[in-house]
Amino acid sequence: MGRLEAGYLFPEIARRRREFAAAHPEAKIISMGVGNTTEPVLPHICGALVEGARRLGNAGTYSGYADEGLAELREGISRVYYRGAFGIDEVFISDGSKCDIGRLQTLFGADAKVTVQDPSYPVYVDGSVVAGAAGRGAAACEDGDCGGGGGYAGIRYMPCTPENNYFPDLSVIEKDSVIYFCSPNNPTGAVATKPQLAALVAAAIRTGSIIVYDAAYSEYIRDAALPRTIYEVDGARNCAIEVNSFSKSAGFTGVRLGWSVVPKELLFSGGESVNSDWARLVATVFNGASNIAQYGGLAALDDEGRAEIRAMTDFYLGNAHLIREALKALNISCIGGDNSPYIWARFPGRGSWDVFAELLEKYHVVTTPGRGFGPAGETFIRFSAFGHRADVEEACKRLSTR
Ligand code: PLP
């Protein structure tokens, strides 16, 4: 814990927002900062959650621990997300993908060699530091073995920048690494193409590495040519774990339900089964996702539920479109927002916390400074499309006066 840099990004943003609000009580602050969902769970899925709660109040339908998750839910996730390619003992139900990432970091332990996209979702790095796998020695790596430009010692950062079209140079991956890869990406909004994922899988196989593929935003992909899961690539079963959840698709950020796929073909370099170790670890430190949430999850997989997920993600993509248009009108170059709920805007020559402060002070709009996601985020701001439509419209109007 002592090796972690400053605070976790989002509490720090909340602190700065509180400070500003205290000094300017008249300001109506709008948040385009965090990735928290804002819209209510839609009726079919919400009805199933209510029904799930009711079942607990009835002796005939009451259920206690369901450690591994409902078999029907595991089978349904395999069918809907992976064309039935996985057995139920390869799909593990969780209380969310972040929680699974933390448990994976426990599994990989302090000796893991960690490689991340830079910028990246903070838990890949911070969780690795907490697990003891990074941050030893120098407090921050200014050049040397982290790939340069700051960040934690012991973590290999793979910059994703406009120059490489937000897909990293994979040649830096060392033997036996754990590679965190997120697509659609938080924070950049970039989505890897199938040939790019094929290159990632090839690099993992070449180096004997394991990919932790974070598909938390897969439901935002609208371009049919873009892969929604890493398992669309041949060979991925031998080198990749995928994590996902209903958080950003069905509005389950506060309900908590996700899953991880750990194929049986995946082995550690010593030949041990990752699937068996993961099953053992999960049974040791986790007592299963809420039964109520799992009933909601089942409804999210049927036709009506799928339609609600589509409607929910369409709504946030509509917000993203408004934000992109507003930034375009200001000649601010940005990517993302078409197949993801995040827009990554570039402010050349500026520090991201400075731009964050300017947007808060002048427009009363909270964003996320790119530096919080890694060294390569220094001159970027992330805009989140999670918000009520009226707030997004108002924020875009304010920004247009810039
Ligand atoms: N992965 C990414 C890339 C995210 O942005 C988030 C949340 O913002 C998560 C995982 C965590 O989601 P949850 O734990 O709610 O499934």
Side-chain angles (χ1 to χ4, degrees), residues 221-391:
I221 295 177
R222 291 293 177 269
D223 181 341
L226 293 170
R228 289 169 159 245
T229 156
I230 193 158
Y231 301 117
E232 287 187 33
V233 172
D234 287 343
R237 297 175 79 109
N238 296 90
C239 64
I241 292 169
E242 182 163 303
V243 294
N244 202 336
S245 80
F246 292 106
S247 287
K248 308 302 171 96
S249 57
F252 273 25
T253 42
V255 176
R256 311 306 304 146
L257 188 68
W259 67 89
S260 55
V261 176
V262 184
K264 291 218 169 132
E265 292 88 335
L266 184 61
L267 304 177
F268 285 111
S269 49
E272 309 89 347
S273 161
V274 178
N275 177 289
S276 304
D277 281 5
W278 180 239
R280 180 73 206 275
L281 179 101
V282 168
T284 304
V285 301
F286 181 52
N287 258 344
S290 146
N291 294 350
I292 299 172
Q294 293 191 63
Y295 280 108
L298 279 176
L301 295 172
D302 66 23
D303 288 349
E304 268 179 273
R306 300 289 305 149
E308 289 187 347
I309 282 179
R310 177 78 186 198
M312 180 81 86
T313 49
D314 273 348
F315 172 82
Y316 290 124
L317 284 168
N319 284 349
H321 179 74
L322 293 176
I323 299 165
R324 268 187 82 115
E325 290 299 302
L327 294 173
K328 225 193 302 164
L330 292 168
N331 275 330
I332 295 171
S333 83
C334 58
I335 66 149
D338 38 9
N339 293 285
S340 88
Y342 296 119
I343 293 117
W344 190 238
R346 194 176 190 188
F347 294 83
R350 305 272 316 268
S352 64
W353 279 107
D354 288 347
V355 181
F356 167 88
E358 180 195 325
L359 296 173
L360 179 57
E361 280 156 26
K362 284 203 192 149
Y363 310 104
H364 307 163
V365 171
V366 176
T367 54
T368 310
R371 182 61 180 84
F373 298 102
E378 183 54 40
T379 59
F380 291 84
I381 286 286
R382 188 194 74 173
F383 288 85
S384 160
F386 293 110
H388 300 308
R389 181 59 52 83
D391 289 338

Side-chain angles (χ1 to χ4, degrees), residues 48-91:
L49 291 170
V50 171
E51 181 52 28
R54 256 198 215 108
R55 293 172 72 102
L56 294 181
N58 181 314
T61 50
Y62 174 80
S63 55
Y65 294 127
D67 299 344
E68 294 157 352
L70 299 175
E72 207 183 336
L73 182 62
R74 303 166 95 184
E75 184 278 321
I77 286 170
S78 176
R79 177 170 36 79
V80 170
Y81 284 86
Y82 307 104
R83 299 175 181 221
F86 295 100
I88 63 167
D89 48 359
E90 295 174 295
V91 180

Side-chain angles (χ1 to χ4, degrees), residues 8 10 34-36 94-101 120-124 182-187 214-217 243-248 252-254 256-259 342 373 382 386:
Y8 182 60
F10 297 105
V34 296
N36 204 355
S94 74
D95 51 350
S97 41
K98 190 184 199 178
C99 319
D100 264 349
I101 291 165
S120 71
Y121 180 52
V123 69
Y124 312 148
C182 178
S183 178
N185 190 265
N186 177 10
D214 187 340
Y217 299 97
V243 294
N244 202 336
S245 80
F246 292 106
S247 287
K248 308 302 171 96
F252 273 25
T253 42
R256 311 306 304 146
L257 188 68
W259 67 89
Y342 296 119
F373 298 102
R382 188 194 74 173
F386 293 110

Side-chain angles (χ1 to χ4, degrees), residues 17-18 20-21 24 27-31 360 364-366 398:
R17 174 189 174 141
R18 269 196 313 276
F20 181 80
H24 304 87
K28 186 185 174 300
I29 299 172
I30 298 176
S31 176
L360 179 57
H364 307 163
V365 171
V366 176
R398 288 184 199 167

